[in-house]
Amino acid sequence: MEWSDLKLFLAIARFGTLGAAARSLGLTQPTMGRRLRALEASLGQTLFQRTTDGFVLTDEGTAVFAGAERIEEEALAMERVLAGGSRQLDGFLRLSSSDWFGAHVLSPVLAEFSQVHPKVEIELLTDSRLLNLSRREADLVFRIRPFTEAEIISRKLIHIEYGLYIRRGAQHPEAGDGTGARLITMDEAFGDMPDVGWLQRLLPRADIVMRSNSRDVQAGLCANGAGLAVLPRPLGDSHAAIELVDLGEPPPGRDTWVGYHRDMKRLARLRALLDLVIERLAR
């Protein structure tokens, strides 16, 4: 099996569908299907069982998977070491953050960095996935949960204050009641976020009318009069159409952490960007 075959096999095993696996490798679904059939034919083994829910490893596929992951780790470790030794301020960096943090906090810093180092190409992925730094799914990750992996170098970057917002000029609710108030909050997958419980405690009689896992979407809904929303202050304060609501205590804030793989610590372009991010944002 060639390295490209192993990457294809591992992607299908992890994502469970040809479409998702193809997107992760920048291929088309028909190409993934053809290459998988060719791989199974060359091995004389069926690696996946095709089900209505997706692709499931067969016993033979499970045996291959363990070895393929070991080979992948060795290959990625070598890539990280080679990349980490690069001293030139050009090349590619992939960053990951939440949507609002990328748009309202990181963007000005990245624009400044690009003016100084125009040969460094930066890709910023903004979604809720926790990308794997060991597999180089990202080079630098910003997130609200501390990093626990031993191979990751990380630090707390910034504490973000949050506020409760309503469309400018609308009637403010009273703390401890909330009757008639309409709430825009996180979707159920993020129901354990501290601000969700804070809203339920301060406005127990308010009705949840909208949910979204995107703070930017929540801000847009709030600006258009859909209801009240707890937003990060850098996001909420940037909207002229909404204003802060004082319920006697602010919503709980959140810390943002930044991390990268230890093998990348000598990568000059990563260090230069991280130094600027820390200089502009750390507090």
Side-chain angles (χ1 to χ4, degrees), residues 15-17 49-56:
F15 288 97
T17 66
Q49 178 183 355
R50 282 70 166 170
T51 73
T52 55
D53 295 325
F55 284 62
V56 179

Side-chain angles (χ1 to χ4, degrees), residues 38-67:
L39 174 60
E40 290 181 324
S42 68
L43 296 175
Q45 302 285 351
T46 300
L47 302 176
F48 295 96
Q49 178 183 355
R50 282 70 166 170
T51 73
T52 55
D53 295 325
F55 284 62
V56 179
L57 287 169
T58 61
D59 289 343
E60 293 78 10
T62 300
V64 172
F65 184 78

